[in-house]
Amino acid sequence: MFDLMKLPAELRIKIYEYALVRDVIRIVSTAHPLGAMRPHDNRHTQVYNEEPNPNKPVILRSMRTSYGPSSICYPENLENAKSIAGEMVGDEISWSYSIEPDGFPPLVNIFLTSRKVYSETWPIFYQKNAFAFTTPLQTLKSAQNCLSFLYDRPYHALRHVRELHLLIGNAPQHAIRSHLNEPPWHLLLRDISRYMSVRVLVLYFRGRVDDAPKDPSPQWPFKESLCQITGLQELHMDVISESTPEQITTFVNEMRSKMVVGGEQMGSEGFRLGLRSMASIPWTANRPGNSLLTKPNIPDMERHYCY
């Protein structure tokens, strides 16, 4: 039997990187029967696919909501679970999250090989991957998925996550501040700033980034809530909005000046302004929104809208 640990450390690291590192790992919602993913008496069981299957999501952990432990989701508390999960779901169904199947998912089964292998692989998985929570039209669900994913990680893993991608908003005409006024976003932005050492943040804004005239919560300091996250090395933004190009540019520059180390010295060089539609919203094909990209090679979120 081949002994992996007899290989030189440099070669083992190459193997681990091939197995675990991808350009972007997207975390999406999946629905599963209550109790199907782990035993009732063991709330810490992790569930992985028995073997890689490009057509099947890789379940990292399930039966955990963004508001509390899995015990609230047992059938006797089903009404509570429906509300906490943020969805009106059928009997004995609760939301969980998984890695999106993209043809070459990370081979997370390697974590189960041995304690030694786990100790060598988990820093690579968390530190060298970008984790994206960007399901179009589901900005609240994306925030809940991110909270659940982060709350399920041990503290040492959180401190190693270096890159996050987040979706804020669901349509160009809606105010961003109304989304950020939701409790999951309050918790997420607070906890990212408190417990993580994120160095690269990619934000996809789908909505108005100015003080929208019809916004029901005009006093909510949404910019201040975003600016809880500081000390970034890079902040990239992909904006589609009914705000004017000038308003979008001002917003992006303000966020970079407060969130990025040395951001106040960063200008608008490299910004790509234009008009773009959203594949997830058909009417935008005839009425595209104003758009801004802070760099040209930001991963395309729109091709992942069909779930």
Side-chain angles (χ1 to χ4, degrees):
M1 183 177 177
F2 176 72
D3 187 355
L4 177 66
M5 304 312 296
K6 289 184 178 180
L7 294 175
E10 296 83 359
L11 186 54
R12 293 203 305 273
I13 290 174
K14 291 291 185 182
I15 294 173
Y16 299 153
E17 290 177 345
Y18 178 81
L20 295 171
V21 179
R22 304 293 180 263
D23 290 337
V24 178
I25 293 180
R26 290 180 173 83
I27 309 297
V28 298
S29 296
T30 53
H32 297 284
L34 281 171
M37 301 312 298
R38 58 178 161 182
H40 181 93
D41 59 352
N42 186 352
R43 300 178 187 176
H44 301 286
T45 302
Q46 295 194 6
V47 183
Y48 300 89
N49 282 343
E50 293 181 358
E51 58 185 56
N53 182 343
N55 299 314
K56 183 179 179 182
V58 180
I59 306 299
L60 291 179
R61 191 179 288 188
S62 65
M63 299 303 298
R64 162 98 58 174
T65 74
S66 57
Y67 292 87
S70 58
S71 59
I72 58 176
C73 291
Y74 291 143
E76 59 266 29
N77 298 321
L78 189 58
E79 288 299 321
N80 193 28
K82 288 181 181 178
S83 172
I84 292 173
E87 292 284 342
M88 294 304 295
V89 296
D91 289 344
E92 297 192 350
I93 294 291
S94 180
W95 284 97
S96 62
Y97 59 87
S98 66
I99 294 176
E100 175 198 15
D102 61 357
F104 190 40
L107 308 179
V108 293
N109 283 341
I110 198 172
F111 292 147
L112 305 179
T113 305
S114 68
R115 291 178 182 270
K116 176 64 174 176
V117 170
Y118 176 77
S119 68
E120 293 184 342
T121 53
W122 72 259
I124 293 173
F125 179 70
Y126 290 110
Q127 193 165 353
K128 295 194 175 184
N129 280 310
F131 296 93
F133 305 85
T134 55
T135 305
L137 300 183
Q138 297 189 28
T139 180
L140 184 61
K141 181 57 63 63
S142 295
Q144 291 173 331
N145 286 345
C146 189
L147 276 170
S148 297
F149 177 83
L150 298 179
Y151 287 174
D152 276 345
R153 304 307 106 191
Y155 180 73
H156 63 263
L158 290 183
R159 302 298 293 181
H160 277 73
V161 174
R162 292 293 180 262
E163 183 170 347
L164 285 178
H165 297 197
L166 300 174
L167 166 67
I168 305 174
N170 57 16
Q173 75 277 19
H174 295 162
I176 291 297
R177 67 168 68 244
S178 63
H179 295 286
L180 291 178
N181 198 22
E182 296 286 347
W185 280 108
H186 293 186
L187 292 171
L188 179 57
L189 296 174
R190 181 200 68 186
D191 289 350
I192 289 176
S193 65
R194 284 185 179 181
Y195 305 120
M196 302 183 69
S197 299
V198 175
R199 293 293 175 260
V200 179
L201 183 62
V202 179
L203 297 177
Y204 296 85
F205 290 101
R206 298 296 183 261
R208 296 183 65 102
V209 296
D210 61 297
D211 294 326
K214 296 183 179 180
D215 182 6
S217 55
Q219 302 303 317
W220 173 248
F222 75 107
K223 296 178 183 178
E224 288 77 2
S225 65
L226 285 169
C227 291
Q228 295 178 82
I229 303 174
T230 58
L232 297 173
Q233 294 177 358
E234 299 178 37
L235 174 61
H236 304 296
M237 301 191 198
D238 177 345
V239 184
I240 299 179
S241 173
E242 287 193 353
S243 300
T244 67
E246 293 77 15
Q247 290 171 329
I248 297 173
T249 301
T250 299
F251 169 77
V252 170
N253 282 329
E254 181 180 354
M255 293 300 99
R256 295 207 302 180
S257 69
K258 295 180 179 179
M259 300 171 69
V260 182
V261 175
E264 63 277 0
Q265 306 298 326
M266 302 171 68
S268 301
E269 295 182 8
F271 284 9
R272 307 183 95 185
L273 290 163
L275 296 173
R276 286 165 59 201
S277 60
M278 295 173 59
S280 51
I281 305 181
W283 61 260
T284 62
N286 299 319
R287 185 182 158 191
N290 294 312
S291 72
L292 183 149
L293 290 170
T294 56
K295 71 171 186 176
N297 58 340
I298 295 177
D300 180 14
M301 181 194 74
E302 289 299 317
R303 69 185 182 91
H304 297 274
Y305 76 94
C306 293
Y307 292 109

